[in-house]
């Protein structure tokens, strides 16, 4: 059995490694022109340049990352802070659901990016409008999953609470919130994912100077550095993966009853 | 305190739409203080509905329930309910489940923890106080559920087929455990069951409900001395008459369904 574990791991990495080798080979033989798709080695050098020289120069990668993360955190946390209580209330009260749902169903399909012009009009170019766009992307998945979580709670738990004379406050804090927590986490993971994806696009148009991964990539495009574009894309993917893993870890720390 | 059911009727459905289902019809019955009463009847006859009405989870269409001569004040934890499905909160450990009623009452943390610990020990749950429900066996889960109900000291405990989904050994064990508790504490108990052996082993009185809409078809007093021997002639004699009454109810029903096969197993 023990010998199977390393072997399986090797198999997991086999295909990506092979792909990288073929890619490198095709670039080396000039079958793929390097101004369209840089080779893996070039991307690695691009990454080094982003890290040490910066894009534009002296705007280092870690600062772009911090700014982007800050915008996402601001938008995401605001969304969670508003969507979870509202979702609990809407899950609890069918009346409130009937009242709000039509409005929600009209606003929800509008892509967050379509809000950029009005966001810039309202908040100007900068952190506020970027955070607002991310807020819109994260808000609805969290809200809908919280509602679904509350609605799917087995009524027997509510009846049990009722026979123990639970007041509304107890019902919310001791039954509805813990009962819908698994679903809330699903919503938060989807929400932060959408927020992160939205961010980069928002920074394409919303940030004209300063820092941000989206802005960094657009600048690299302006001066024709596909290696740095690709390296920037990879960084975005890896950070997204990291955020998701972090939330999953939080989840298994908080939800220990599964 | 006596529980008095006075002419309880319950109808489900909407009269205006003309689709009504009468479930309970004119139930008159008094449960004396400290009595152990079992309710048996064909499945779907309305036993659970009656229990839910007494628990305050549903309203009677007609009739009145008095407890100690007054209308029941549901804000005082006078009546506890134990479900067949245990209904333990899956996100709470054993001790957190047991103490939730005290938490709702606003008892300080230290006091309620030590109170809950007493129940953990008395209910044979020590070592499992920090386990989550899914880590416990069915019998243990039901112990936790009973402890959670009893810790707020209700005067009347309603039990809806509480041992219905347990294997027969665990069921016997919990029956004896319940009797020990009851002999010490003397709450009144209304116990709904399918199992006539169980009713005969546990109760002072057995109420047989008729087919739907349910009325009280017959009342049996069980005077056999405790502890009872489930295989004694006395027990068997009571069992026989209760089963006869149920068979009669079933004949009245005309159509029968497979769930109506009453258990007369084991012990």
């Amino acid at each position: 059995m023990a010998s199977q574990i390393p072997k399986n791991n090797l198999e997991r990495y086999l295909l990506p490694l092979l792909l990288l080798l073929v890619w490198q080979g095709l670039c080396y033989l000039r079958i793929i022109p390097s101004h369209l798709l840089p080779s893996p080695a070039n991307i690695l050098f691009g990454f080094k340049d982003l890290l040490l020289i910066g894009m534009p120069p002296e705007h280092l990668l870690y600062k772009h990352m911090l700014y982007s993360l800050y915008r996402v955190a601001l938008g995401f946390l605001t969304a969670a802070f508003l969507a979870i209580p509202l979702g609990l209330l809407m899950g609890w009260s069918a009346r409130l659901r009937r009242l709000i749902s039509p409005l929600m169903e009209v606003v929800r399909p509008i892509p967050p990016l379509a809000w950029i012009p009005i966001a810039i009009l309202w908040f100007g170019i900068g952190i506020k409008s970027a955070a607002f766009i991310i807020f819109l992307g994260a808000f609805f998945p969290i809200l809908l999953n919280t509602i679904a979580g509350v609605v799917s709670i087995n009524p027997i738990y509510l009846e049990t609470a009722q026979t123990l004379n639970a007041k509304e406050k107890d019902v919310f804090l001791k039954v509805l919130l813990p009962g819908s927590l698994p679903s809330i986490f699903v919503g938060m993971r989807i929400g932060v994912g959408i927020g992160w994806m939205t961010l980069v696009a928002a920074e394409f148009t919303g940030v004209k100077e300063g820092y941000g991964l989206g802005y960094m990539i657009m600048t690299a495009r302006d001066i024709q550095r596909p290696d740095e574009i690709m390296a920037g894309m990879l960084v975005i993917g890896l950070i997204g993966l990291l955020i998701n893993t972090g939330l999953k870890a939080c989840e298994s720390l908080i939800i220990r009853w599964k | 305190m006596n529980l008095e059911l006075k002419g309880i009727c319950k109808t489900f459905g909407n009269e205006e739409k003309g689709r009504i289902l009468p479930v309970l019809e004119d139930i008159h019955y008094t449960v004396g203080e400290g009595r152990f009463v079992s309710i048996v009847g064909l499945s779907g006859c309305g036993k659970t509905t009656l229990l839910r009405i007494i628990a305050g989870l549903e309203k009677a269409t007609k009739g009145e329930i008095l407890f100690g001569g007054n209308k029941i004040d549901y804000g005082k934890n006078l009546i506890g309910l134990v479900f067949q499905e245990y209904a333990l909160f899956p996100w709470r450990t054993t001790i957190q489940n047991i103490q939730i009623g005290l938490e709702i009452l606003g008892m300080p943390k230290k006091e309620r923890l030590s109170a809950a610990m007493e129940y953990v020990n008395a209910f044979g749950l020590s070592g499992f106080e920090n386990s989550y429900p899914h880590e416990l066996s069915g019998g243990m889960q039901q112990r936790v559920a009973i402890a959670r109900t009893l810790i707020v000291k209700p005067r009347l405990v309603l039990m809806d087929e509480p041992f219905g989904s347990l294997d027969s050994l665990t069921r016997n064990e919990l029956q004896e455990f319940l009797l020990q508790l009851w002999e010490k504490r003397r709450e009144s108990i209304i116990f709904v069951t399918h199992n006539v052996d169980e009713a005969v082993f546990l109760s002072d009185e057995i109420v047989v409900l008729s087919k739907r809409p349910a009325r009280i078809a017959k009342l049996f007093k069980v005077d056999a001395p405790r502890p009872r021997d489930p295989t004694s002639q006395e027990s068997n004699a009571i069992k026989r008459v209760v089963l006869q009454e149920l068979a009669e109810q079933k004949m009245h029903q005309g159509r029968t369904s497979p769930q109506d096969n009453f258990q007369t197993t084991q012990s």
Side-chain angles (χ1 to χ4, degrees):
Chain A
M1 287 300 276
S3 66
Q4 265 182 6
I5 296 159
K7 195 179 147 204
N8 274 340
N9 263 341
L10 207 74
E11 275 171 11
R12 281 181 59 177
Y13 296 119
L14 203 64
L15 194 63
L17 273 173
L18 206 71
L19 208 72
L20 277 175
L21 271 175
V22 171
W23 179 1
Q24 183 72 42
L26 290 176
C27 288
Y28 182 77
L29 298 171
R30 313 252 164 161
I31 295 172
I32 302 175
S34 66
H35 67 277
L36 290 185
L37 184 64
S39 71
N42 276 338
I43 292 173
L44 213 62
F45 285 118
F47 179 71
K48 194 196 80 185
D49 285 351
L50 286 178
L51 216 57
L52 301 177
I53 300 169
M55 171 59 59
E58 284 171 32
H59 288 60
L60 296 183
L61 176 63
Y62 84 96
K63 270 199 142 175
H64 288 297
M65 281 165 51
L66 285 180
Y67 269 76
S68 289
L69 281 171
Y70 175 56
R71 287 177 186 127
V72 164
L74 197 68
F76 168 72
L77 291 177
T78 318
F81 191 74
L82 293 176
I84 293 171
L86 183 64
L88 290 177
L89 285 170
M90 283 177 72
W92 174 240
S93 155
R95 199 173 181 190
L96 196 64
R97 263 202 312 280
R98 278 198 301 274
L99 214 67
I100 297 182
S101 288
L103 178 68
M104 199 175 80
E105 290 310 317
V106 174
V107 177
R108 193 166 66 90
I110 303 174
L113 293 180
W115 286 83
I116 288 181
I118 200 80
I120 291 175
L121 208 63
W122 288 350
F123 302 109
I125 290 178
I127 172 84
K128 271 194 209 150
S129 49
F132 178 68
I133 302 298
I134 291 150
F135 166 83
L136 285 168
F139 181 79
F140 289 108
I142 301 177
L143 180 69
L144 291 178
N145 278 285
T146 308
I147 295 173
V150 175
V151 171
S152 66
I153 289 175
N154 189 338
I156 204 172
Y157 299 131
L158 297 169
E159 292 183 341
T160 304
Q162 195 186 334
T163 62
L164 291 166
N165 280 314
K167 288 132 207 95
E168 289 218 318
K169 185 195 84 182
D170 300 313
V171 171
F172 267 92
L173 295 180
K174 298 185 202 300
V175 182
L176 299 187
L177 183 62
S180 55
L181 215 49
S183 186
I184 290 177
F185 264 104
V186 172
M188 290 205 292
R189 289 223 312 274
I190 298 174
V192 83
I194 292 181
W196 183 243
M197 285 187 241
T198 311
L199 163 90
V200 180
E203 285 173 345
F204 279 174
T205 49
V207 181
K208 296 286 178 233
E209 55 188 344
Y211 292 98
L213 289 173
Y215 167 68
M216 177 188 87
I217 289 175
M218 285 314 267
T219 318
R221 190 209 62 174
D222 289 344
I223 59 167
Q224 305 279 319
R225 285 288 302 265
D227 55 331
E228 293 194 2
I229 295 177
M230 295 286 291
M233 287 164 64
L234 268 176
V235 169
I236 288 167
L238 286 175
I239 292 177
L241 178 69
L242 228 72
I243 293 175
N244 194 44
T245 315
L247 264 179
K248 265 193 178 160
C250 281
E251 189 178 336
S252 56
L253 208 69
I254 294 173
I255 302 177
R256 275 175 298 182
W257 61 84
K258 290 245 148 149
Chain B
M1 287 193 279
N2 293 348
L3 177 85
E4 294 167 76
L5 305 176
K6 293 188 156 180
I8 300 294
C9 297
K10 177 70 182 178
T11 311
F12 281 119
N14 192 328
E15 231 168 302
E16 285 157 28
K17 286 181 189 161
R19 287 169 58 188
I20 51 168
L21 180 69
V23 180
L24 300 173
E25 200 171 83
D26 204 26
I27 305 272
H28 282 275
Y29 187 63
T30 299
V31 180
E33 161 131 37
R35 300 283 279 177
F36 200 127
V37 176
S38 285
I39 299 180
V40 295
L42 305 178
S43 53
C45 78
K47 304 180 294 270
T48 296
T49 306
L50 181 60
L51 223 54
R52 290 172 59 84
I53 289 173
I54 300 171
L57 293 176
E58 236 155 282
K59 280 213 170 79
T61 317
K62 248 198 288 182
E64 195 179 25
I65 307 175
L66 301 179
F67 196 46
N70 301 311
K71 262 195 102 185
I72 305 180
D73 181 353
Y74 285 105
K76 281 189 176 161
N77 281 324
L78 289 172
I79 297 182
L81 176 61
V82 176
F83 296 88
Q84 176 180 2
E85 310 90 319
Y86 323 133
L88 296 177
F89 298 111
W91 49 85
R92 287 181 163 247
T93 59
T94 296
I95 194 153
Q96 288 170 339
N97 261 295
I98 291 178
Q99 56 147 330
I100 187 168
L102 303 178
E103 227 173 284
I104 289 168
L105 287 172
M107 185 187 275
K109 195 172 178 183
K110 250 192 190 160
E111 275 173 62
R112 64 174 197 249
L113 267 180
S114 71
M117 236 12 235
E118 267 174 47
Y119 277 78
V120 164
N121 293 329
F123 278 61
L125 295 163
S126 3
F128 293 92
E129 55 267 30
N130 295 320
S131 304
Y132 287 97
H134 77 269
E135 299 167 315
L136 303 176
S137 68
M140 287 185 120
Q141 290 189 45
Q142 194 54 293
R143 281 169 194 258
V144 176
I146 295 171
R148 178 179 65 184
T149 303
L150 292 186
I151 200 169
V152 294
K153 304 209 161 67
R155 295 310 308 143
L156 168 68
V157 181
L158 311 170
M159 305 184 106
D160 189 4
E161 299 193 43
F163 308 147
S165 47
L166 302 174
D167 65 84
S168 67
L169 278 178
T170 313
R171 177 186 272 248
N172 292 347
E173 192 187 302
L174 276 183
Q175 286 167 357
E176 297 202 3
F177 177 68
L178 179 64
L179 279 184
Q180 282 166 21
L181 281 174
W182 173 71
E183 271 156 18
K184 260 187 280 171
R185 305 169 56 110
R186 287 286 167 177
E187 297 95 350
S188 316
I189 294 182
I190 302 181
F191 191 101
V192 164
T193 179
H194 254 94
N195 186 321
V196 177
D197 290 282
E198 185 167 68
V200 171
F201 181 65
L202 294 172
S203 342
D204 297 322
E205 287 166 46
I206 298 174
V207 177
V208 179
L209 291 184
S210 71
K211 61 164 185 161
R212 203 171 57 215
R215 285 163 293 100
I216 292 181
K218 209 147 204 181
L219 241 167
F220 297 94
K221 293 230 166 17
V222 188
D223 294 324
R226 297 170 188 274
R228 287 178 189 154
D229 173 2
T231 57
S232 71
Q233 272 195 332
E234 234 173 339
S235 295
N236 281 330
I238 303 161
K239 226 176 283 174
R240 191 171 305 124
V241 289
V242 174
L243 283 168
Q244 263 167 9
E245 182 57 39
L246 281 168
E248 212 157 294
Q249 288 306 322
K250 201 165 159 180
M251 294 226 316
H252 285 305
Q253 197 178 31
R255 265 184 321 155
T256 52
S257 59
Q259 304 114 282
D260 291 336
N261 294 319
F262 280 85
Q263 293 165 275
T264 54
T265 49
Q266 36 93 25
S267 301

